Amino acid sequence: MTTEKAIVVKNLSRHFGDFKAVDDISFEVHRGEIFGFLGPNGAGKSTTIRMLNGLLLPTSGEGRVGGFDIIRENARIKNHIGYMSQRFSLYEDLTAEENLTFFGGVYGLDPARLTGRITEVLILVGLEDRRHDLTRTLPLGLKQRLALASAIIHEPSILFLDEATSGVDPISRRNFWDLIYAMAQEGRTILVTTHYMEEAEFCDRLVLIYQGRIIAQGTPSELKGEVKETILALYPGNLDGALDLIKKLPQVAEAAVFGDGLHIATTRPEETEPAIQETLTAHHIACGRIERVRPSLEDAFISLVQRAEGKEAVSYQQSAIS
Amino acid sequence: MWRRIRHIIIKEFIQVFRDKKLRFFLIVPPLVQLLTYGYVVNFDIKHVAVAVFDESRTLESRQLIDRFTSTDWFNVKYYVKSQKELLHLVDRGDITLALWIQWDFATRMRQGKSGRLQVIVDATDSNAALIVSRYAGTVIADYNQLQLDRQLARQGQEWAGQSGTPLDIEPRAWFNSNLISRHSMVPGVIAMVVLLVSLMLTALSVVREKEIGTLEQILVTPIRPIELMLGKTIPFVIISLLEVAMVTALGILWFEVPFRGSFLVLLLGTMAFLFNSVGLGLLISTVSSTQQQAMMAGNLFLTPAILLSGLIFPIANMPVFFQYLTYLNPLMYFIIVTQGVFLKGAGLVLLWPQITAMTVLGIGMLGLAVARFKVHIA
Ligand SMILES: Nc1ncnc2c1ncn2[C@@H]1O[C@H](COP(=O)(O)OP(=O)(O)OP(=O)(O)O)[C@@H](O)[C@H]1O
Ligand SMILES: [Mg+2]
């Protein structure tokens, strides 16, 4: 590899008709880093990955992956990357081993290396005792590990994992992340997209994507530091009822369910705490103790999205006036 | 390059042979088609009910009627006295064929003009009607020939003063003495089966991978479009050839269809045809995103291809526009090739125009498919 940066993206956009699925994003990923893409549904995470691995051409902007240009050297990138798409996409009617043989073969591995690699990756993902099982018969967690095995059969230096753990139980997810860590340890660069906040915490660095745009980037703690509001946590008797009431309070910037309690963002905590107690008591909902907590990544996410939406509203007004 | 292609081919074969539905699709429908066309759509006709209105009442007209009574094909059930009665019988569906020999039939013939004869066929079942009229045509042609021979003989005697027996030429449909019977159907079915199997397998196999997302997974590998295309078509070419072998064997062994030509010519013709059907299959896979769409698109081509092939409906009976259209139909050429190889023992000397036409059309089709495949899939 010729550069220290595994991925460099500059002003990348992809439009579908009038719709801007990815809108002028720029970021860099260092070698050996676990880099996270965090964003709600339809934010443009998959579209970005598809441009980086050569499945989709950008509308404008540029990017380099492993030192190769994503538009002009599109074909040369492919030997260096592995991709696990959002949908499970192995052959259900082939065995685990047959799937690996096929993909390894299509990557052009010679027979000796192929045999060796199949055993290696099967051991790595803990599937060597299921190698002759039809993929259809594997539970989802194992299927996803097999998909990972197939994505790394050719030892790529950069790995794209698009919601690799969606729909998998927490324990399998944990195991999966152990694998991701192990691969990062070997010096591979890993770009993951996720919905799960706790997974985002595992990333070295993150970008937050919202409506095709990057609204924040940094390490998880940097992102949490972006939160200007104070976060109040409380565990009221009636979650939904309390949430409705609290959202109506003028002092509250944002309120959301968090675990089995509520997280409330506010810039004026001294006024907000009594206001909450007052309105809940008035409606006969037990309030419990209100605590000030360190913002979680989810709080940061909500707050940053709020801020982005606010800006959007402002710029919209401006353009309406001018 | 070949290593990648080989891996795709192996994978396709594993999938085809592991898939119960597909195995069924490859064996049962072709057999059903063969049996249907061989038995049920049995175009050998027998004892078709005929009514005759003989207005002429002459030796000549009786000879013509005799021609009809003396074959197994027709059963002259009614002799009627008026046109009205004749039409009535047709209307009631009592008869399939009505012959009206007009009053000046013999007079005109003696004058060397053609005798007038009206043939009415019940066309409720247009397909059967077509066949019945063909058979009636044969009987009449046969009779014509006889009359002609006699006339020639008579003239010969008069002019040359020589005596000689009239040549007794028995007109027969060449190569296939029972006309359009199962003997010509079986080679036709082979052609249809090849079309169906190769077209559908190719189109569905690519589209299925689109549906389940594996195509995307293949496209992030360094595979080249041409490698993917070869990997995706070679297995179905091989399977189609196996189908040809299966149906041919059954046709020969079970239906006792003669195989007079060479297997090599049949193979060559099949390969030329496969360019077309596999190309079309690929083309369909570039425009469809679901298997259902691909099926529909496939059917859109299958039915016209069969109707315009001349297998069931003679091309000569089509409107002129459609007759020209058949020149663009590879199945038309392929059926000539299969029938030629089976029934006439035709070789390349006879069949090169058809094989060339299929190759040219096929290369065009494949070219189109490759171009679209590169843009829309890879
Ligand atoms: N081929 C396409 N044609 C039209 N619109 C598309 C196409 N692909 C994606 N989109 C749209 O672009 C937007 C971004 O999609 P994308 O799949 O990148 O989102 P995502 O962040 O991956 O979301 P998710 O979390 O749901 O996977 C969506 O609104 C989607 O409908
Ligand atoms: Mg996505």
Side-chain angles (χ1 to χ4, degrees):
Chain A
M1 207 150 301
T2 50
T3 58
E4 269 308 302
K5 303 271 189 298
I7 302 173
V8 181
V9 168
K10 270 197 205 118
N11 308 109
L12 199 64
S13 297
R14 172 70 206 212
H15 303 174
F16 294 109
D18 288 339
F19 178 70
K20 297 175 177 171
V22 173
D23 188 7
D24 193 21
I25 64 170
S26 305
F27 62 90
E28 293 183 352
V29 181
H30 308 297
R31 282 175 62 187
E33 193 171 41
I34 301 180
F35 192 83
F37 261 46
L38 189 62
N41 285 330
K45 305 181 294 292
S46 301
T47 307
T48 307
I49 289 193
R50 288 161 54 79
M51 285 190 280
L52 295 182
N53 63 22
L55 287 173
L56 204 64
L57 280 176
T59 306
S60 62
E62 53 186 307
R64 298 183 83 77
V65 171
F68 299 111
D69 189 284
I70 58 168
I71 300 164
R72 271 166 286 129
E73 295 169 303
N74 180 306
R76 298 183 58 189
I77 290 177
K78 295 181 173 179
N79 271 315
H80 304 280
I81 59 166
Y83 171 54
M84 207 176 137
S85 83
Q86 186 166 358
R87 285 164 66 199
F88 175 75
S89 45
L90 295 183
Y91 300 98
E92 302 258 355
D93 51 350
L94 298 188
T95 65
E97 183 176 349
E98 285 163 350
N99 264 303
L100 295 176
T101 308
F102 173 73
F103 282 106
V106 171
Y107 270 109
L109 304 192
D110 61 61
R113 173 140 179 258
L114 186 57
T115 327
R117 277 302 287 165
I118 289 174
T119 310
E120 269 172 52
V121 293
L122 280 174
I123 291 172
L124 179 71
V125 302
L127 275 172
E128 72 273 32
D129 53 334
R130 311 285 300 254
R131 67 176 353 177
H132 297 300
D133 288 12
L134 279 185
T135 306
R136 190 187 294 128
T137 64
L138 298 176
L140 188 60
L142 294 192
K143 279 185 187 172
Q144 259 146 343
R145 282 201 249 161
L146 180 60
L148 179 66
S150 147
I152 59 171
I153 186 93
H154 56 299
E155 301 186 90
S157 56
I158 300 171
L159 197 55
F160 295 96
L161 305 178
D162 195 357
E163 285 178 40
T165 57
S166 61
V168 175
D169 63 272
I171 296 173
S172 304
R173 215 149 71 206
R174 198 57 228 218
N175 291 336
F176 199 90
W177 270 90
D178 288 340
L179 290 171
I180 295 179
Y181 272 128
M183 287 183 299
Q185 292 291 306
E186 291 173 9
R188 302 188 202 286
T189 308
I190 298 162
L191 195 154
V192 296
T193 78
T194 182
H195 283 306
Y196 297 111
M197 296 297 163
E198 74 266 26
E199 287 191 356
E201 299 267 8
F202 298 148
C203 298
D204 296 323
R205 285 194 309 131
L206 288 171
V207 294
L208 225 78
I209 303 197
Y210 180 69
Q211 294 185 347
R213 274 190 256 161
I214 293 183
I215 58 173
Q217 51 182 312
T219 63
S221 51
E222 280 169 357
L223 289 181
K224 288 180 219 165
E226 293 262 327
V227 180
K228 301 285 187 295
E229 298 88 351
T230 307
I231 306 297
L232 305 177
L234 77 158
Y235 301 87
N238 172 353
L239 264 188
D240 293 334
L243 184 62
D244 284 345
L245 291 169
I246 291 170
K247 273 192 164 169
K248 290 196 191 101
L249 294 174
Q251 301 90 339
V252 169
E254 182 58 46
V257 175
F258 191 90
D260 48 3
L262 296 178
H263 270 199
I264 294 141
T266 175
T267 46
R268 294 171 288 170
E270 288 77 12
E271 296 168 38
T272 313
E273 283 178 27
I276 292 173
Q277 270 157 349
E278 199 175 304
T279 185
L280 291 187
T281 323
H283 289 85
H284 311 291
I285 296 175
C287 175
R289 244 170 57 100
I290 300 179
E291 293 172 70
R292 295 186 187 188
V293 294
R294 299 240 316 272
S296 68
L297 202 51
E298 185 163 359
D299 295 319
F301 180 71
I302 291 168
S303 158
L304 289 163
V305 166
Q306 273 267 309
R307 207 181 297 164
E309 275 182 333
K311 263 189 222 150
E312 197 135 286
V314 171
S315 62
Y316 176 76
Q317 274 170 3
Q318 280 173 345
S319 66
I321 293 163
S322 62
Chain B
M1 163 162 183
W2 283 109
R3 183 181 302 152
R4 295 203 177 106
I5 296 174
R6 211 190 58 223
H7 276 285
I8 301 182
I9 294 174
I10 294 171
K11 185 219 96 193
E12 295 297 332
F13 274 118
I14 296 178
Q15 285 188 309
V16 168
F17 292 115
R18 207 168 272 171
D19 185 339
K20 269 197 208 120
K21 267 192 241 154
L22 210 54
R23 267 188 337 230
F24 178 88
F25 172 79
L26 287 179
I27 299 194
V28 178
L31 293 188
V32 168
Q33 284 215 338
L34 186 66
L35 294 177
T36 321
Y37 283 97
Y39 279 122
V40 187
V41 188
N42 192 349
F43 291 142
D44 292 331
I45 60 167
K46 278 216 166 81
H47 310 301
V48 170
V50 179
V52 178
F53 171 32
D54 183 3
E55 224 179 352
S56 162
R57 305 190 142 275
T58 48
L59 178 68
E60 283 85 347
S61 69
R62 271 194 300 279
Q63 278 174 342
L64 176 62
I65 297 167
D66 279 349
R67 286 259 147 197
F68 274 89
T69 51
S70 63
T71 88
D72 267 359
W73 299 341
F74 297 104
N75 173 15
V76 182
K77 269 182 156 171
Y78 305 94
Y79 294 90
V80 299
K81 299 249 153 47
S82 72
Q83 183 193 356
K84 218 175 117 192
E85 268 179 274
L86 196 65
L87 295 179
H88 188 60
L89 286 170
V90 177
D91 284 344
R92 289 223 327 242
D94 286 348
I95 53 164
T96 309
L97 184 77
L99 284 182
W100 177 11
I101 306 170
Q102 291 180 353
W103 63 274
D104 55 0
F105 182 75
T107 341
R108 287 174 64 94
M109 285 229 296
R110 280 175 208 145
Q111 291 164 359
K113 299 185 202 157
S114 49
R116 286 193 298 182
L117 170 74
Q118 195 166 346
V119 180
I120 302 160
V121 182
D122 177 2
T124 322
D125 175 352
S126 58
N127 209 4
L130 210 71
I131 290 139
V132 168
S133 57
R134 272 203 187 183
Y135 277 84
T138 321
V139 174
I140 293 162
D142 203 356
Y143 170 80
N144 259 344
Q145 189 66 47
L146 197 74
Q147 293 300 324
L148 213 65
D149 293 344
R150 287 212 182 127
Q151 239 166 34
L152 283 175
R154 216 180 294 135
Q155 282 167 359
Q157 275 174 346
E158 279 165 16
W159 292 339
Q162 272 180 339
S163 81
T165 40
L167 279 173
D168 191 12
I169 297 168
E170 176 97 328
R172 286 173 44 191
W174 280 14
F175 313 120
N176 183 4
S177 20
N178 291 332
L179 286 175
I180 24 174
S181 73
R182 66 175 60 124
H183 280 190
S184 62
M185 268 307 168
V186 168
V189 169
I190 291 176
M192 288 199 295
V193 164
V194 173
L195 173 61
L196 186 76
V197 166
S198 55
L199 175 73
M200 287 302 187
L201 277 186
T202 312
L204 290 182
S205 132
V206 178
V207 174
R208 193 177 53 228
E209 299 221 20
K210 266 194 206 176
E211 266 185 353
I212 58 178
T214 44
L215 189 64
E216 204 174 89
Q217 208 65 56
I218 293 176
L219 293 178
V220 294
T221 72
I223 197 162
R224 284 183 302 170
I226 189 71
E227 296 169 336
L228 179 57
M229 281 192 31
L230 285 173
K232 275 285 178 193
T233 49
I234 291 172
F236 308 125
V237 166
I238 295 174
I239 290 174
S240 301
L241 292 176
L242 291 177
E243 293 276 332
V244 173
M246 177 179 85
V247 181
T248 303
L250 212 75
I252 296 172
L253 299 176
W254 184 260
F255 287 110
E256 298 180 337
V257 179
F259 189 92
R260 302 199 172 100
S262 111
F263 284 105
L264 214 63
V265 177
L266 183 62
L267 181 69
L268 207 65
T270 310
M271 293 298 284
F273 178 71
L274 282 172
F275 283 141
N276 295 272
S277 53
V278 161
L280 183 59
L282 280 181
L283 204 59
I284 287 175
S285 72
T286 62
V287 297
S288 336
S289 40
T290 64
Q291 294 190 64
Q292 216 166 3
Q293 282 174 10
M295 292 267 239
M296 271 162 47
N299 281 324
L300 204 68
F301 286 96
L302 277 177
T303 317
I306 291 170
L307 291 181
L308 293 177
S309 70
L311 179 65
I312 301 170
F313 304 108
I315 291 171
N317 293 2
M318 293 174 189
V320 179
F321 172 72
F322 288 99
Q323 293 194 16
Y324 282 115
L325 214 54
T326 62
Y327 287 117
L328 291 176
N329 182 5
L331 189 65
M332 187 271 278
Y333 300 108
F334 190 34
I335 287 177
I336 295 176
V337 171
T338 53
Q339 289 184 341
V341 170
F342 264 87
L343 306 175
K344 297 188 207 173
L348 285 180
V349 177
L350 266 176
L351 295 176
W352 72 265
Q354 281 77 21
I355 294 180
T356 310
M358 283 192 286
T359 312
V360 170
L361 285 173
I363 287 172
M365 181 65 85
L366 262 183
L368 210 63
V370 173
R372 268 200 71 94
F373 197 82
K374 275 192 177 152
V375 177
H376 290 265
I377 299 210

